[in-house]
Amino acid sequence: MKSLVIAEKPSVGKDIARVLKCAKASGGGLEGEKYVVVWALGHLVTLADPESYSDDYKEWKMESLPMMPEKMKLEVIRKTGRQYQIVKTQLFRKDISEIIIATDAGREGELVARWILEKAGVKKPIRRLWISSVTDRAIKDGFAHLKNGHDYDRLYEAAKARAEADWLVGLNATRALTVKYNAQLSCGRVQTPTLAIIEKYYERIKNFKPQKYYGIEVVSGKMMFVWHERQSKNTRIFNKEKAEQIIRQVQNGRLDIVKADKKRKKVYAPQLYDLTQLQRDANRLYNFSAKETLNYMQRLYEHYKVLTYPRTDSRYLTSDMTQTLAERVRACSAPEWSAACAQILKDKPKASPRFVNDAKVGDHHAIIPTEQGVRLSELDYGERKIYELVVKRFLAVLMPPYEYDETSVQAQAGGELFEASGRHTVSLGWRSVGRDLDAEEMEKDSVCADGLETLTKGSTLDISDIRLRQGETKPPAPMTEAGLLSAMEHPAGYMDHEDSSLAKTLGETGGLGTVATRADIIEKLIDTGMIEKRDKYLYLTSKGRQVISLAPEELRSPELTAVWEQKLADIASGKIKKADFESQIRSYTSEIVEEIRTSGQTYRHDNITGKRCPQCGKLLLEVTNKGGRSLMCQDRNCGYRRNLSKTTNARCPQCHKRMSLVGEGEGRRFVCTCGYREKLSSFNERKKEAGGKVSKRDVAAYMRKQEKEAAASAGSALADALKKIKL
């Protein structure tokens, strides 16, 4: 008898098959003496569409809401149906005695496998592979310590509860809004509060009132002392008369040194990465979107196997991992880190409570390198930058702290307090590899300490100059993806009212969404026209602002999703039953549908053009999203749509940003935001001439993206042209 192993993705399934010595192709899987390995393609099974429950749900109308199926059905996803049949056939083989679930170790991974088993109706014994990296060693160790599959039954119940609740609330609220206002509107327990956060952020900017402030600097030789308010230590004065009065008090005096300290200080490396912090840093440093960072991470995890599981919310390692630290360091020995790696190995990597804590690791530990190395030249730009960030953060926590001598001097003049400080680096420590990981500390390095170390308490200095500096308070900068990720992770500051218990719940449940879903939420809001991205900043559209006002009040609050996540965690831990949570969700769904039904508000399209729909004659809307621009009919029942431009992977030869393909027929051309323009025919000729320099992988990736974008519209002329490139 054999065991059937179900992986979540083909790449992982093939790696597991190789380790288990399953080399024989068999019915869509790989087979060996003891195991048969098959894989999903992500989800193969999902909750059934409303239309499968009743004919009443086939037409979107208010009379059929709320949709409340007594029992939620599962259906095979059409585009992956063939793969489902392959897996199902293997499940019912007579020589398969047990099933080993080897999907991603987490709530969604559990759902992927269990839905397949439930839909197929298989009742064979199950065991669970629970690993956080897919190296050969991790796979071997995982199969040597397989878990009882039913140990994760409650995790599956929590995953089902989440999916079913999102179906009930999201689909009912979306249908109600769409039917009520005859516009393609949507809302949900995470995306709507996310929109509300952006709105509140920009309200603060809009309501910001700039204030003039003043500061006083007293100079003595090469040393500069700054005025400080004695109690608050604030250096800003918001009253010019007060500032001028202080200057009059000190201009004929001397600086009396009342305190002079010199201390040796240490700064330890920042914590290891979880996914959200990695996405924030990648956005801040390289302007990568959250989705781009996750995609790069996923490839480094699955294809290259050089980083551990990406979808983690922990920044710590478990104690049993400390024995692998040296091997992971050896795998990171690229030339730029070779000296640091050699020193770490010489001193022997040591565990520290700063990054090793079993109690702070949930399903997955922090993101770190695996025991496998990689040539950096094999990685593309984005993959390399993400890999470098993770490696530098990993090496940094294993290195000594950054040490410096800080000199702090306090002086008095005219009864006022002035301070000066500076630092002298003693040892770079971890900052020799991770200097760019700590921008705040880098700024402090620029403080000049010349002469301060010679001062002692009781000494005096002549004042050579007094300067009055003037400034104005500035509003926060527009919101970036890094800022939105932070706000989603810590949304308590955007609550309408302060409630310590709810704020605590928000903190404990990780905020809005999860590390695995936030990138997709942001992408969905952009794709549906709720928010738009200009350069690196995110802005609400008119549609997004109106959806916030039209959505039920409770549904746009961050507290709701926090409560949901807490209850899902309680289901997973056995504190509450799934049925009780479901009953609450059904009652809530009825309430929000009724609230939308009885609303007296209206929705106004702000993107109406003067062009008429060729099918129904109504005015067309111009829609912009990350895929480009298109015209679509304002009547959702008509469905007419025509593309105006597409964002492509073709890079501008001047600024290297992605260009858009606009126009039709022979007039098609590439345009870039920097002003560069090029006919499609010229682009094709240029690419043919440089054909030897175009990588097969880049073209293949480009083709996949173009084919996907073209699925719902006309074929891609650029993709057709690229097919002719000889590599």
Side-chain angles (χ1 to χ4, degrees), residues 133 135 252 545 603 703:
S133 66
T135 62
N252 296 320
R545 284 190 293 272
Y603 177 81
M703 292 296 298

Side-chain angles (χ1 to χ4, degrees), residues 466-503:
I466 302 175
R467 302 168 185 164
L468 177 67
R469 57 185 178 87
Q470 179 177 316
E472 191 173 78
T473 56
K474 296 180 180 179
M479 180 169 274
T480 62
E481 279 203 41
L484 182 55
L485 286 168
S486 296
M488 292 174 74
E489 187 176 28
H490 305 288
Y494 296 88
M495 290 165 52
D496 290 329
H497 54 84
E498 292 188 11
D499 186 318
S500 58
S501 63
L502 286 175

Side-chain angles (χ1 to χ4, degrees), residues 589-630:
T589 300
S590 297
E591 292 172 10
I592 61 175
V593 168
E594 185 61 23
E595 184 176 337
I596 294 171
R597 190 201 317 269
T598 57
S599 172
Q601 299 188 72
T602 57
Y603 177 81
R604 182 181 64 83
H605 293 288
D606 70 336
N607 54 345
I608 293 180
T609 68
K611 299 176 181 178
R612 296 279 177 181
C613 174
Q615 294 180 182
C616 70
K618 294 181 180 178
L619 291 174
L620 295 171
L621 308 176
E622 182 172 324
V623 179
T624 302
N625 56 36
K626 70 170 186 175
R629 293 184 304 115
S630 60

